[in-house]
Amino acid sequence: MSNGWEQPNGGNLMKNRRKRMTIMAEVAIMAALAFILDFFSFKIWAQGGSVSLTMLPIFVMAFRRGLIASLATGLIVGLLNMMYNPYIVHWLQGLIDYPIAFLVVGFAGLFYFNKGVSNSRKIISITVGVFVGSLLRYLAHFTAGVVWFGEFAPEGTPVLVYSFTYNLTYMGPAFILCLIVVLLLNKSSDRILHQAN
């Protein structure tokens, strides 16, 4: 009689289960690291917005594990940020500025690459992935700014211009900072951006 483990693919079942557990642990660790990195941020505006490496662990998961893992990491990071010292004026704005803004950073995982690709291809994938993830987060904050924070615009400044500029002042430097660090990680250690099989 078979006990359920004695199948030809039984070893694969256990291996897949271990891999899923490893990925879940990595997602939790990277989300916690992102939350900690947020404490070491350079605050620019009182209403929110700071230059930090908070997105870095999401990008690491994007290139290490791919889309699903990076989206999960981003969502957890956004929820943690929303629970700790948020600036919320409307429930929908809270969702856009926190869980959704960090969730979409995980779309950098669309540019996941295998370990064996050329270094030039890795650099292109990393650059495009970090740009797309940062841009999508920027668009989330920009949208929230247009809809809910127009009152902060200086007199005579259109809301679109105000939100564009306000969010660019911290998202631009955050993008550049994260890109530099991810490129350095790629150069210094193959094990950080690539999972062990």
Side-chain angles (χ1 to χ4, degrees), residues 19-110:
K19 186 175 181 179
R20 277 198 304 272
M21 293 299 292
T22 301
I23 292 171
M24 289 192 312
E26 287 180 10
V27 166
I29 290 166
M30 288 298 174
L33 178 60
F35 184 67
I36 291 166
L37 286 171
D38 198 41
F39 287 100
F40 300 96
S41 60
F42 179 71
K43 208 128 183 102
I44 295 180
W45 304 106
Q47 295 87 6
S50 56
V51 179
S52 74
L53 287 170
T54 306
M55 296 186 293
L56 178 63
I58 305 170
F59 291 132
V60 169
M61 287 304 289
F63 302 117
R64 180 176 171 82
R65 293 291 185 182
L67 182 62
I68 302 300
S70 58
L71 288 173
T73 306
L75 179 61
I76 295 168
V77 170
L79 290 170
L80 288 171
N81 271 276
M82 188 168 71
M83 289 189 289
Y84 180 80
N85 200 23
Y87 191 89
I88 299 174
V89 296
H90 187 275
W91 68 268
L92 185 54
Q93 170 267 321
L95 288 178
I96 293 171
D97 264 340
Y98 296 98
I100 292 173
F102 286 96
L103 169 74
V104 296
V105 174
F107 279 107
L110 289 170

Side-chain angles (χ1 to χ4, degrees), residues 156-179:
T157 303
V159 174
L160 289 171
V161 173
Y162 169 72
S163 186
F164 176 86
T165 309
Y166 176 98
N167 290 293
L168 193 60
T169 58
Y170 67 91
M171 282 302 304
F175 156 68
I176 293 167
L177 188 60
C178 285
L179 178 59

